[in-house]
């Protein structure tokens, strides 16, 4: 009888193992090709070198926000807590650090693909490996690995929170930590807070408020811990550096795929001023309202991605590699075959780099077509927010992930 049970179990598992093995082989082949292509392109992983320099500055007890790293003399732009996390990078040689960072980012891409499928309600054996094999060639992912950025880590931390079962005690910690490293993910905590406040009118204390409270507590704890270790740097960041958007780069840079970047190129100015302030405030209000409405309708996937798009749009600077949120977006859109080809073309064509860019600030003299090409990501994000704002059409094939699901 035992033999029969084992044979029956093996027969059931074999069809599952075959597609998983095929997906793993395809993913490994894609990653190897990617690794070779990146090395052939002579990637500098310049942001990773800045992170390492930040960790070295902390260990040396020097002024974190006076530091300049690499030949480009890049400054520190993240909160002090991030610099504390970067200190272990100083214990590695540069070649070893680059290799480990690339391997870790590829593993994080698989994790992001898995969480994206869970968010869209499309988990299948081996599916995450297929998604990762294709997503690694998207411009935001390619550029993230090219620079050695931490975007995949932050996206995984946020999605890890937002795809857990309702009421999970630890939910919110990932968002809090992500916000302590880089402030943009804090918008997810605001989204949860607003949803919880609306729901509280009829249900009182609820999972959304609990998750928002956890995120705030973790963010505050990490920030205070950094302040205890780096008091001078923390005081400087929260009182002055935080508001110095020019430290990051020129607003009109093609790589800046935020509303501020679009307006700077459109108005042919390095400082769009009040135009950006008004546009960002309006977009934040509309985007958060749309995300909350979608969440209260039980449409978690649309709500989360609407919040992500809103955060990227209203941030003063959203470099193209910050748009790794295209991975869960493409998974959701592709699962329902609604504009999938157009979305894949936007993030896989590298078209935003077809315009003049680089030294001399040529973006300030772009033509109409060039402005469209260099605004592809914000246009895609705004279109998604608008679609969520209007709500699902009657009879539309989109059946998003429900908040009532457990995972």
């Amino acid at each position: 009888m035992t033999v029969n049970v084992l044979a029956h179990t093996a027969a059931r598992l074999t069809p599952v193992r075959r597609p998983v093995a095929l997906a793993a082989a395809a993913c490994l082949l894609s990653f190897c090709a990617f690794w070779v292509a990146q090395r052939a392109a002579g990637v500098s992983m310049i942001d990773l070198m800045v992170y390492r320099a930040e960790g070295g500055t902390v260990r040396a007890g020097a002024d974190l926000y006076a530091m300049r790293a690499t030949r480009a003399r890049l400054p520190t732009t993240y909160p002090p807590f991030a610099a504390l996390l970067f200190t272990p990078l100083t214990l590695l040689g540069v070649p070893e650090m680059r290799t480990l960072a690339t391997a870790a980012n590829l593993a994080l891409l698989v994790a992001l693909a898995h969480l994206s499928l869970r968010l869209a309600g499309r988990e299948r054996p081996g599916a995450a490996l297929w998604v990762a094999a294709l997503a690694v060639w998207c411009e935001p992912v390619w550029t993230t690995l090219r620079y050695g950025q931490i975007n995949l880590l932050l996206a995984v931390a946020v999605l890890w929170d937002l795809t857990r079962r309702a009421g999970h005690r630890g939910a919110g910690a990932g968002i809090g930590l992500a916000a302590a490293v880089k402030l943009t993910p804090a918008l997810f905590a605001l989204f949860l807070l607003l949803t919880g406040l609306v729901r509280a009118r009829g249900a009182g204390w609820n999972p959304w408020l609990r998750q928002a409270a956890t995120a705030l507590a973790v963010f505050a704890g990490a920030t205070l811990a950094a302040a205890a270790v780096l008091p001078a740097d923390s005081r400087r960041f929260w009182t002055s550096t935080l508001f110095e958007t020019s430290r990051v780069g020129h607003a009109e840079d093609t790589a800046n795929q935020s509303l501020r970047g679009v307006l700077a190129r459109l108005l042919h100015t390095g400082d769009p001023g009040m135009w950006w302030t008004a546009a960002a405030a309006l977009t934040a209000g509309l985007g958060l309202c749309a995300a909350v409405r979608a969440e209260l309708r039980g449409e978690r996937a649309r709500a989360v991605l609407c919040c992500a798009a809103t955060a990227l749009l209203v941030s003063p600077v959203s470099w193209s590699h910050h748009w790794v949120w295209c991975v869960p977006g493409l998974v959701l859109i592709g699962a329902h075959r609604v504009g999938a080809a157009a979305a894949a073309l936007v993030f896989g064509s590298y078209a935003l780099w077809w315009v003049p860019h680089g030294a001399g600030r040529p973006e300030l003299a772009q033509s109409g077509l060039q402005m469209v090409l260099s605004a592809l990501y914000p246009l895609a994000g705004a279109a998604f927010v608008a679609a969520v704002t209007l709500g699902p059409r009657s009879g539309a094939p989109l059946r998003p992930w429900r908040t009532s699901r457990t995972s």
Side-chain angles (χ1 to χ4, degrees), residues 29 36 52 72 78 98 120 140 148 178-179 190 233 251 271 287 291 319-320 341-342 360 396:
L29 180 62
V36 171
R52 189 173 192 266
Y78 294 172
R98 288 175 171 172
L190 181 57
D233 292 324
D271 183 14
W319 301 127
S320 68

Side-chain angles (χ1 to χ4, degrees), residues 26-328:
C27 187
L28 181 60
L29 180 62
S30 179
F31 282 4
C32 288
F34 175 87
W35 196 300
V36 171
Q38 288 249 309
R39 294 302 174 272
V43 295
S44 63
M45 303 190 80
I46 189 170
D47 287 344
L48 183 63
M49 299 302 296
V50 175
Y51 299 158
R52 189 173 192 266
E54 290 179 26
T57 302
V58 169
R59 293 187 64 187
D63 187 339
L64 183 61
Y65 295 99
M67 180 214 77
R68 295 295 184 271
T70 74
R71 293 181 180 178
R73 295 188 56 77
L74 297 176
T76 302
T77 58
Y78 294 172
F81 179 70
L84 290 179
L85 296 184
F86 296 148
T87 53
L89 296 177
T90 62
L91 304 177
L92 300 170
V94 172
E96 294 80 9
M97 178 185 66
R98 288 175 171 172
T99 299
L100 287 175
T102 301
N105 265 327
L106 291 175
L108 285 167
L109 178 59
V110 176
L112 180 62
H114 170 72
L115 293 173
S116 300
L117 288 162
R118 178 186 293 179
L119 182 71
R122 295 284 175 159
E123 288 181 280
R124 300 289 186 277
L129 295 170
W130 284 112
V131 170
L134 296 173
V136 73
W137 299 99
C138 290
E139 191 276 339
V141 177
W142 168 279
T143 312
T144 286
L145 275 88
R146 171 189 176 187
Y147 293 143
Q149 264 281 345
I150 58 172
N151 306 304
L152 291 168
L153 176 62
L154 299 180
V156 166
V158 171
L159 269 191
W160 180 70
D161 269 351
L162 296 173
T163 56
R164 303 175 87 177
R165 67 179 183 274
H168 193 287
R169 290 184 178 180
I175 293 173
L177 284 173
V181 172
K182 193 171 184 177
L183 295 178
T184 308
L187 197 70
F188 288 97
L190 181 57
F191 152 69
L192 291 169
L193 175 62
L194 293 175
T195 305
L197 290 174
V198 173
R199 183 55 61 90
R201 291 183 299 180
W205 186 253
N206 55 64
W208 292 277
L209 289 177
R210 184 182 303 114
Q211 196 166 358
T214 300
L216 176 60
V218 171
F219 169 79
T223 301
L224 290 174
V229 178
L230 303 170
D233 292 324
S234 295
R235 182 170 54 255
R236 179 174 176 180
F237 177 82
W238 294 108
T239 58
S240 62
T241 305
L242 173 62
F243 308 102
E244 298 171 5
T245 56
S246 60
R247 286 173 60 90
V248 183
H250 296 304
E252 77 277 2
D253 281 353
T254 298
N256 185 11
Q257 294 292 294
S258 70
L259 282 175
R260 183 166 173 262
V262 172
L263 287 171
R265 294 186 289 270
L266 180 63
L267 300 174
H268 305 293
T269 177
D271 183 14
M274 292 302 297
W275 288 103
W276 168 69
T277 304
L282 179 61
T283 301
L286 291 175
L288 283 170
C289 285
V292 170
R293 286 182 57 203
E295 178 74 1
L296 293 174
R297 290 196 301 261
E299 301 166 5
R300 168 58 63 91
R302 291 164 66 98
V304 169
L305 293 175
C306 181
C307 186
T310 301
L312 291 165
L313 288 170
V314 304
S315 175
V317 176
S318 291
W319 301 127
S320 68
H321 50 77
H322 294 169
W323 286 80
V324 292
W325 282 95
C326 72
V327 176

Side-chain angles (χ1 to χ4, degrees), residues 344-402:
L345 187 63
V346 167
F347 293 103
S349 65
Y350 295 69
L352 74 160
W353 297 111
W354 299 355
V355 304
H357 60 276
R361 306 178 71 176
E363 292 93 341
L364 291 176
Q366 285 185 350
S367 66
L369 177 59
Q370 290 170 344
M371 288 182 190
V372 172
L373 289 176
S374 63
L376 283 178
Y377 295 1
L379 287 173
F384 188 86
V385 172
V388 176
T389 301
L390 296 173
R393 296 170 298 170
S394 177
L398 187 62
R399 297 178 61 192
W401 192 88
R402 298 279 168 177

